């Protein structure tokens, strides 16, 4: 953990002095996400060129030495930035506390997330090897989040099983710093309010906690899903759930980058005219890197944020239309292509199957819609009461949507129209327009995929609602902060009382994971995500530990038995590719055009059950290792040949064989 934090600190401090001229008092917080994105970009090209990942640290160390030589690190300045560092560490350790109580790589998407992370750490090349598809790579998926975290683990010497539990604390802390920077940028008081975005439950969870029943009766009323299956046949995640649930999944890792880009765009909107040419160039480079990283972090994000960048650029250009300089033109026309050029080889390698856009025939139930987004919409309506009284005719904008049966869209369109119709829109109101527009579009359109007719819009709502939550929540709490400041009836709290309340709240937050049954029946008290194997699966604990010591190009054979089960665990825990892991995941990414879906599963069975086919089929997939543990005996009638295999490991009813030839 300490070595992980040391690397993050080196990256951040090396970049910080270079940002002071552009961002002023915001240079220190901006350096947190900016340095990590730069490290990710440089390390990605190291992987592409097959250069050791440690080389990615060289530019940062060189930059730090340069700043030391020019005395850019002043003790008094660093002391003045203590609150940013304190916020980062506090949020990091709060989330680490949560992972310490429930560290296991044991359910949901955790097998996939760790498998990708372990694959990167084991063999850091571009594109990374797919641990669930022997002979394939992750050029079918957006893998940059795993690459970023895996490379951090490589340079800090952290094994994947612990890096897994350091990842979400890092993302959470970076997100908190960016949200507090947004509050500081826009608000004079109550700058902490945007941080609520990360810990706010949706109305459905509040309803569940009060009543003990689910809003949507189609799902179990238990708290296992924490209000994320509210809108029928969709997933409605929000940050609190995502971080508590604990999947190091693409949409969660991307949260910090989304909030960072929101800060950069708000900074541009607020201060563009006060920046000189070089400062504008620095801001545009960071926007391009942030936007350019999105297709690799979570491709859905770029579909949302690319239009946002263009709209903000157009608004800045329009505001300066009487005297437009080259930098302003560049913001509109240069940033998008530069963002693509940042990771151009990724697009050349990409082999994915994208669907068309279609019209939603079954929109959201209005009550279910409000049980997900109602808090923000209620805040907007409350703040817009004077505007509604002045221009009630704008309410008619909702009429076409309501008549067509899209009642949820009609609800969202009302505050959207009122914010958009304002002559002098604040940054928070512009952000609210973007968030509301996402909700409206999700009610009208969806991206076709292979999830079937019942869950036809599950992915669209799943992937789009999280950015909407970040935008709507940030906008809503900034507006509340502005309203409270204008109201000016809340006295300022003394430093003593602020410290006392802060300490009490922090202690309660640290204690909460230990007071709530949160470990899902697995072990606790460690940051090693595989520690639980020693008691629940002792045979696999030893076998996996042995395989994790191996280096070089290996491919293994292990039992397969569908998705979201304990099967495919060896490839997930080691990063060594298996013939096929969780097959439906691979089907979603690759589509079965050659019949591999059934063929690979049949071949695995034959390897274990037909001795005369074991060696030939292993050679077919270039497999070097055959794993036989409890799961293999449960799944197959194991019958191995007498020749062609050499036993290299045996303990606790687990055996590992190596192909003799």
């Amino acid at each position: 953990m300490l070595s992980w934090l040391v690397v993050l600190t080196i990256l951040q401090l090396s970049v910080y002095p270079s940002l002071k001229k552009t961002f002023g008092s915001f240079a220190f917080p901006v350096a947190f996400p900016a340095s990590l994105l730069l490290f990710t970009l440089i390390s990605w090209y190291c992987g592409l060129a097959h250069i050791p990942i440690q080389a990615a640290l060289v530019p940062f160390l060189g930059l730090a030495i340069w700043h030391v030589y020019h005395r850019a690190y002043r003790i008094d300045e660093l002391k003045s930035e203590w609150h940013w560092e304190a916020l980062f560490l506090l949020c990091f350790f709060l989330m680490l506390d949560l992972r310490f109580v429930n560290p296991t790589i044991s359910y949901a998407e955790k097998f996939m997330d760790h498998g990708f992370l372990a694959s990167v750490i084991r063999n850091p090349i571009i594109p990374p090897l797919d641990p669930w598809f022997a002979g394939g790579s992750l050029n079918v998926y957006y893998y940059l989040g795993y690459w970023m975290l895996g490379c951090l683990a490589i340079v800090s010497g952290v094994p994947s099983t612990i890096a897994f539990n350091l990842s979400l604390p890092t993302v959470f802390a970076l997100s908190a710093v960016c949200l507090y920077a947004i509050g500081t940028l826009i608000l004079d008081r109550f700058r902490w309010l945007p941080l609520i975005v990360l810990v706010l439950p949706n109305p459905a969870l509040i309803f569940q906690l009060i009543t003990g029943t689910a809003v949507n009766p189609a799902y179990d009323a238990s708290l296992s899903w924490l209000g994320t299956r509210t809108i029928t046949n969709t997933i409605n995640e929000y940050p609190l759930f995502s971080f508590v649930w604990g999947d190091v999944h693409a949409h969660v890792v991307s949260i910090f980058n989304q909030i960072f880009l929101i800060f950069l765009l708000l900074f541009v909107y607020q201060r563009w005219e006060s920046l000189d040419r070089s400062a504008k160039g620095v801001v545009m480079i960071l926007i391009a890197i942030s936007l350019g990283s999105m297709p690799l972090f979570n491709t859905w994000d770029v579909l949302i944020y690319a239009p946002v960048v263009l709209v903000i650029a157009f608004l800045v250009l329009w505001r300066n239309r009487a005297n437009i300089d080259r930098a302003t033109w560049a913001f509109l026309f240069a940033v998008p292509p530069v963002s693509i050029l940042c990771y151009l080889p990724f697009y050349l390698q990409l082999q994915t199957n994208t669907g068309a856009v279609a019209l939603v025939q079954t929109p959201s139930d209005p009550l279910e819609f409000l049980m997900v987004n109602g808090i923000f919409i209620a805040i907007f309506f409350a703040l817009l009461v004077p505007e509604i009284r002045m221009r009630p005719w704008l309410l008619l904008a909702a009429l076409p949507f309501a008549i067509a049966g899209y009642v949820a869209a009609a609800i969202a369109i009302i505050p959207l129209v009122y914010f958009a119709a304002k002559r002098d829109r604040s940054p928070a109101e512009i952000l609210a327009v973007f968030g509301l527009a996402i909700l409206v579009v999700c009610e009208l359109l969806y991206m076709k995929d292979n999830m079937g007719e019942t869950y036809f819009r599950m992915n669209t709502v799943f992937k789009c609602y999280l950015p909407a939550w970040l935008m709507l929540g940030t906008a809503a709490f900034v507006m509340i902060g502005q309203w409270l400041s204008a109201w000016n009836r809340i006295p300022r709290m003394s430093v003593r009382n602020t410290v006392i309340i802060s300490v009490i709240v922090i202690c309660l937050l640290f204690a909460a994971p230990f007071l709530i049954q949160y470990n899902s029946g697995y072990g606790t008290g460690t940051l090693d995500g595989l520690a639980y194997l020693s008691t629940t699966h002792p045979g696999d604990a030893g076998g996996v530990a042995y395989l994790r010591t191996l280096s070089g190009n290996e491919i293994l054979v292990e039992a397969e038995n569908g998705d979201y089960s304990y099967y495919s665990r060896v490839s997930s825990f080691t990063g060594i590719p298996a013939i096929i892991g969780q097959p439906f995941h691979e089907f979603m990414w690759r589509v079965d055009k050659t019949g591999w879906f059934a063929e690979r599963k049949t071949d695995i069975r034959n390897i274990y059950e037909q001795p005369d086919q074991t060696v030939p089929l292993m050679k077919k997939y270039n497999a070097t290792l055959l794993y036989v543990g409890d799961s293999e005996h449960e799944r197959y009638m194991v019958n191995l040949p007498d020749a062609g295999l050499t036993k290299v490991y045996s303990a606790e009813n687990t055996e590992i064989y190596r192909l003799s030839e």
Side-chain angles (χ1 to χ4, degrees):
M1 182 197 69
L2 290 176
S3 62
W4 181 278
L5 287 174
V6 166
V7 170
L8 288 174
T9 301
I10 290 173
L11 295 176
Q12 188 257 347
L13 288 179
S14 67
V15 171
Y16 158 61
S18 301
L19 300 176
K20 286 194 288 188
K21 181 181 177 182
T22 300
F23 292 99
S25 60
F26 293 100
F28 199 86
V30 167
F32 280 104
S35 62
L36 189 53
L37 288 175
L38 286 168
F39 170 75
T40 305
L41 180 65
I42 296 170
S43 65
W44 191 86
Y45 276 97
C46 287
L48 185 67
H50 290 214
I51 298 172
I53 297 303
Q54 289 79 358
L57 286 178
V58 173
F60 296 93
L61 295 175
L63 191 60
I65 293 171
W66 171 267
H67 290 316
V68 169
Y69 178 76
H70 289 278
R71 299 182 179 179
Y73 298 107
R74 295 174 52 186
I75 300 299
D76 56 334
E77 284 186 355
L78 292 174
K79 285 183 178 179
S80 67
E81 308 290 359
W82 71 269
H83 58 292
W84 295 108
E85 188 69 33
L87 176 63
F88 178 86
L89 292 175
L90 174 63
C91 292
F92 179 89
F93 283 110
L94 279 173
M95 187 53 55
L96 194 70
D97 184 51
L98 207 61
R99 303 307 331 134
F100 183 75
V101 173
N102 185 12
T104 57
I105 304 164
S106 51
Y107 55 88
E109 297 287 6
K110 293 179 175 59
F111 279 15
M112 170 189 151
D113 299 329
H114 181 268
F116 287 3
L117 185 66
S119 176
V120 169
I121 295 173
R122 190 175 187 280
N123 199 349
I125 58 172
I126 296 296
L129 300 180
D130 186 343
W132 285 350
F133 198 87
S137 64
L138 292 179
N139 58 351
V140 295
Y141 194 75
Y142 29 83
Y143 57 78
L144 192 66
Y146 306 102
W147 179 267
M148 175 187 75
L149 298 166
C151 289
L152 272 178
I154 290 171
V155 298
S156 58
V158 177
S160 63
T161 57
I162 295 176
F164 182 88
N165 285 311
L166 297 178
S167 297
L168 289 187
T170 303
V171 174
F172 185 79
L174 291 169
S175 303
V177 167
C178 292
L179 282 169
Y180 190 68
I182 291 173
T184 306
L185 175 68
I186 300 178
L187 298 171
D188 295 324
R189 294 184 64 190
F190 310 106
R191 297 170 175 176
W192 53 269
L193 278 171
L195 290 170
I196 297 176
V197 171
L198 296 177
V199 296
L200 181 73
N202 67 12
L205 175 57
I206 298 172
F207 179 82
Q208 275 185 304
L209 292 172
I210 294 173
T211 66
T213 59
V215 175
N216 190 335
Y219 295 95
D220 183 68
S222 71
L223 298 181
S224 61
W225 290 113
L226 298 173
T228 62
R229 301 303 189 272
T230 300
I231 298 177
T232 302
N233 297 328
T234 68
I235 299 175
N236 331 119
E237 281 199 27
Y238 48 95
L240 175 62
F241 170 85
S242 300
F243 284 113
V244 170
W245 189 245
D247 288 349
V248 187
H249 214 47
H251 69 286
V252 185
V253 178
S254 71
I255 288 176
F256 88 94
N257 189 36
Q258 293 182 56
I259 302 174
F260 179 50
L261 183 58
I262 290 172
F263 168 80
L264 291 175
L265 294 176
L266 294 178
F267 183 84
V268 163
Y269 190 79
Q270 288 272 82
R271 302 193 177 187
W272 182 258
E273 288 79 10
S274 65
L275 301 176
D276 60 25
R277 181 178 296 180
S278 62
K280 290 177 179 177
V282 171
V283 174
M284 286 191 291
I285 289 172
L286 290 181
I287 290 175
I289 292 174
S290 177
L291 181 64
S293 300
M294 283 186 172
L296 290 79
F297 271 116
N298 185 28
T299 303
W300 291 80
D301 295 343
V302 78
L303 302 178
I304 294 169
Y305 286 95
V308 173
V309 170
L310 292 175
V311 170
I312 293 295
F314 177 78
L315 290 175
V316 170
L317 188 146
W318 181 256
R319 194 170 65 198
N320 294 274
R321 61 188 180 277
N323 185 25
I324 303 176
D325 59 7
R326 292 181 179 178
T328 307
W329 284 115
F331 185 22
L332 182 61
F333 293 106
V335 168
V338 171
S339 69
I340 295 174
L341 289 173
C342 284
Y343 287 99
L344 183 60
F346 172 81
Y347 303 102
L348 300 177
Q349 294 175 341
L350 189 63
Q351 296 179 13
T352 188
N353 300 276
T354 56
V357 175
L359 182 67
V360 173
Q361 301 294 332
T362 310
S364 304
D365 176 271
L367 178 60
E368 294 175 358
F369 175 81
L370 290 174
M371 280 293 182
V372 176
N373 306 293
I375 293 176
F376 308 132
I377 291 177
I379 292 171
F380 295 150
F381 271 103
L383 295 173
L384 284 170
V385 167
E387 293 287 331
I388 295 173
R389 288 175 177 171
M390 289 175 55
R391 294 185 282 183
W393 59 86
L394 290 179
L395 293 171
L396 295 174
L399 193 58
F401 297 93
I403 293 174
Y406 296 90
V407 179
I411 295 171
I413 205 70
I414 293 173
L416 189 158
V417 168
Y418 275 97
F419 285 134
K422 282 191 173 185
R423 182 169 299 177
D424 296 318
R425 290 172 294 272
S426 69
E429 289 167 342
I430 292 174
L431 196 58
V433 169
F434 290 135
L436 291 165
I438 295 172
L439 300 185
V440 173
V441 170
C442 285
E443 288 302 306
L444 304 178
L445 303 172
Y446 71 97
M447 187 77 75
K448 288 185 176 180
D449 53 28
N450 52 11
M451 293 300 295
E453 294 183 4
T454 301
Y455 302 101
F456 69 98
R457 64 191 289 247
M458 187 189 77
N459 253 337
T460 299
V461 173
F462 176 29
K463 298 299 172 60
C464 294
Y465 262 43
L466 194 56
W469 181 283
L470 298 177
M471 293 183 189
L472 294 172
T474 303
F477 288 109
V478 166
M479 290 180 189
I480 290 175
Q482 292 171 328
W483 182 81
L484 290 173
S485 298
W487 191 41
N488 203 28
R489 293 186 181 180
I490 299 179
R492 293 183 181 271
M493 195 178 298
S494 67
V495 174
R496 177 175 174 272
N497 290 340
T498 300
V499 171
I500 292 174
I501 293 175
S502 298
V503 170
I504 292 173
V505 170
I506 291 169
C507 289
L508 289 174
L509 289 173
F510 272 106
F514 293 92
L515 300 176
I516 301 170
Q517 183 63 31
Y518 174 61
N519 64 14
S520 304
Y522 293 91
T524 184
T526 177
L527 291 179
D528 185 348
L530 296 186
Y532 75 103
L533 291 180
S534 61
T535 55
T536 59
H537 303 280
D540 287 339
V544 167
Y546 167 75
L547 290 174
R548 287 174 62 86
T549 65
L550 303 181
S551 59
N553 295 320
E554 305 277 9
I555 292 177
L556 64 85
V557 185
E558 65 171 324
E560 169 279 325
N561 194 16
D563 294 54
Y564 300 107
S565 69
Y566 183 68
Y567 289 85
S568 307
R569 79 283 188 204
V570 181
S571 52
S572 300
F573 295 159
T574 63
I576 299 174
I579 292 177
I580 188 67
Q582 297 191 10
F584 185 68
H585 281 77
E586 293 293 342
F587 177 79
M588 286 191 295
W589 304 327
R590 299 178 184 276
V591 182
D592 186 16
K593 296 180 180 179
T594 62
W596 60 260
F597 187 82
E599 180 183 9
R600 290 197 175 216
K601 293 196 290 184
T602 301
D603 286 346
I604 293 173
R605 178 173 292 277
N606 289 335
I607 286 172
Y608 284 105
E609 296 183 345
Q610 304 296 328
D612 60 324
Q613 296 188 43
T614 301
V615 172
L617 287 175
M618 286 183 68
K619 290 181 178 180
K620 174 182 175 181
Y621 295 100
N622 295 318
T624 56
L625 299 166
L626 177 64
Y627 191 96
V628 185
D630 291 338
S631 296
E632 285 67 32
H633 285 291
E634 291 171 4
R635 178 74 167 136
Y636 309 116
M637 298 293 293
V638 178
N639 184 15
L640 301 180
D642 296 327
L645 298 174
T646 301
K647 186 184 296 185
V648 294
Y649 176 87
S650 180
E652 298 282 353
N653 199 36
T654 296
E655 297 172 332
I656 302 175
Y657 297 87
R658 179 173 291 281
L659 196 65
S660 299
E661 299 176 25

